[in-house]
């Protein structure tokens, strides 16, 4: 058997929906619009958090991290995918493919961990309000963010090293829109049992464990809210975590639907579902945190009226 390693392949072909070019044109318009919304919405939210001193709190620090993940995650594969839709370029170099796979995997794991950290932040805010400033101090927030990013990128580095050390026997056609790790592993002609094991462990530790911590946090949060005597108090308490809960439901709901649903007979359907998950969810986060948060809406109002920039300039 030819044991030509992946180093013999200098570029890969991203198959996409090559047999459905008319559908690719529709996806190009849709994905371009969603990508622009993601960039503008999340960039605006980060800028707003930086400008408004009222948003300099742990919750908004983590929200800005989440927005950066959404910007970097979609930017890691969307521009090249858009070129592929137009048949401008269907090939990707080996370094670009390796970087694309590394970034998408790293940022996905980081987002899972960050959502768990944000759930802990909401738990402290509602269940331990008098100790919130003490427990969620700036140093701890930075440490939790660094651990989330570092763990996600370290796991991706391990998965990438294990994937690219496999023999690929000259196979170079990736049946996907971008270099997703499962699609890349299908090219391997060697034993991938170690890859499957490490991916399963990583999925359990970095995806299911954060979900368990999120669920536990909200059990305590719900119990604390139900103990609030007034309806207005309960509503105010719940409103502080409703945006985060919505993002968690969308994030884990789409993942569950994508991986637990029966495989479609047409693989193109599964590829489109994966694509929509990868680009639609990041575009929603900024709007959810903007529309469901009174402090963000107040900051937007101040920015429109010119008061926000005036306050920022006066600080210097």
């Amino acid at each position: 058997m030819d044991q030509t390693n992946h180093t013999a392949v200098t570029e890969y072909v991203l198959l996409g929906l090559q047999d459905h070019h008319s559908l690719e044109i529709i996806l190009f318009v849709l994905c371009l619009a969603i990508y622009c919304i993601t960039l503008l919405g999340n960039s605006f939210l980060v800028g707003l958090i930086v400008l408004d001193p009222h948003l300099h709190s742990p919750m908004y620090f983590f929200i800005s991290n989440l927005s950066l993940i959404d910007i970097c995650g979609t930017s890691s594969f969307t521009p090249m995918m858009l070129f592929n839709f137009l048949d401008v370029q269907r090939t990707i170099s080996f370094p670009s493919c390796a970087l694309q796979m590394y970034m998408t995997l790293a940022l996905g794991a980081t987002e899972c961990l960050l959502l768990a950290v944000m759930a802990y932040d909401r738990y402290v805010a509602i269940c331990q309000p008098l100790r919130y400033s003490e427990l969620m101090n700036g140093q701890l927030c930075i440490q939790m963010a660094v651990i989330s990013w570092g763990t996600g990128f370290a796991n991706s580095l391990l998965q990438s090293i294990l994937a690219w050390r496999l023999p690929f026997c000259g196979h170079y056609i990736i049946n996907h829109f971008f270099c997703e790790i499962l699609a890349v592993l299908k090219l391997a002609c060697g034993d991938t049992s170690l890859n499957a094991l490490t991916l399963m462990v990583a999925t359990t530790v970095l995806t299911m464990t954060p979900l368990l911590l999120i669920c536990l946090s909200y059990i305590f949060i719900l119990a604390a809210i139900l103990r609030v005597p007034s309806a207005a108090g309960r509503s105010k308490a719940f409103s502080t975590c409703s945006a985060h809960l919505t993002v968690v439901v969308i994030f884990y709901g789409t993942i569950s639907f994508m991986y637990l649903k029966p495989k479609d007979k047409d693989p193109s359907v599964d590829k489109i579902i994966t694509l929509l998950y990868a680009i639609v969810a990041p575009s929603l986060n900024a709007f959810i945190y903007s529309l469901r948060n009174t402090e963000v809406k107040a900051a937007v109002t101040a920015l429109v009226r010119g008061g926000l920039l005036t306050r920022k300039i006066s600080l210097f």
Side-chain angles (χ1 to χ4, degrees), residues 61-140:
F61 169 72
F62 294 127
I63 289 175
S64 63
N65 275 262
L66 187 63
S67 291
L68 288 175
I69 289 175
D70 291 336
I71 293 171
C72 296
T74 53
S75 297
S76 66
F77 69 91
T78 304
M80 183 166 290
M81 183 183 67
L82 293 174
F83 279 108
N84 291 344
F85 284 153
L86 296 178
D87 271 339
V88 174
Q89 178 184 346
R90 286 196 178 271
T91 59
I92 181 172
S93 66
F94 168 71
S96 296
C97 185
L99 179 62
Q100 194 177 82
M101 187 181 80
Y102 175 73
M103 291 298 295
T104 53
L105 190 60
L107 293 168
T110 302
E111 183 163 0
C112 291
L113 295 171
L114 198 60
L115 288 173
V117 169
M118 294 171 75
Y120 173 72
D121 171 70
R122 292 299 83 205
Y123 160 76
V124 175
I126 294 175
C127 299
Q128 303 281 341
L130 298 179
R131 300 185 61 200
Y132 182 74
S133 298
E134 174 192 350
L135 295 176
M136 296 301 296
N137 59 77
Q139 183 178 1
L140 179 62

Side-chain angles (χ1 to χ4, degrees), residues 185-298:
L185 289 177
K186 289 181 180 179
L187 301 182
C189 55
D191 182 16
T192 59
S193 57
L194 179 60
N195 302 81
L197 177 61
T198 55
L199 279 172
M200 182 181 68
V201 172
T203 300
T204 302
V205 174
L206 301 179
T207 304
M208 302 311 299
T209 302
L211 178 59
L212 177 61
L213 294 175
I214 291 170
C215 292
L216 288 174
S217 296
Y218 276 101
I219 289 173
F220 287 112
I221 288 172
L222 182 60
I225 291 175
L226 292 177
R227 287 196 298 268
V228 176
S230 66
R234 288 194 296 270
S235 177
K236 182 179 180 180
F238 183 74
S239 66
T240 63
C241 57
S242 60
H244 174 259
L245 186 59
T246 303
V247 170
V248 169
V249 170
I250 292 174
F251 182 79
Y252 279 100
T254 50
I255 288 179
S256 300
F257 175 77
M258 186 170 63
Y259 288 107
L260 298 181
K261 78 173 190 64
K263 292 293 182 182
D264 198 278
K265 294 181 180 179
D266 184 359
S268 298
V269 175
D270 290 321
K271 285 191 286 184
I272 292 173
I273 291 174
T274 303
L275 170 64
L276 292 178
Y277 153 74
I279 66 168
V280 172
S283 69
L284 297 176
N285 291 346
F287 291 98
I288 292 170
Y289 281 113
S290 300
L291 298 176
R292 299 183 65 88
N293 194 299
T294 55
E295 291 176 320
V296 173
K297 287 189 284 188

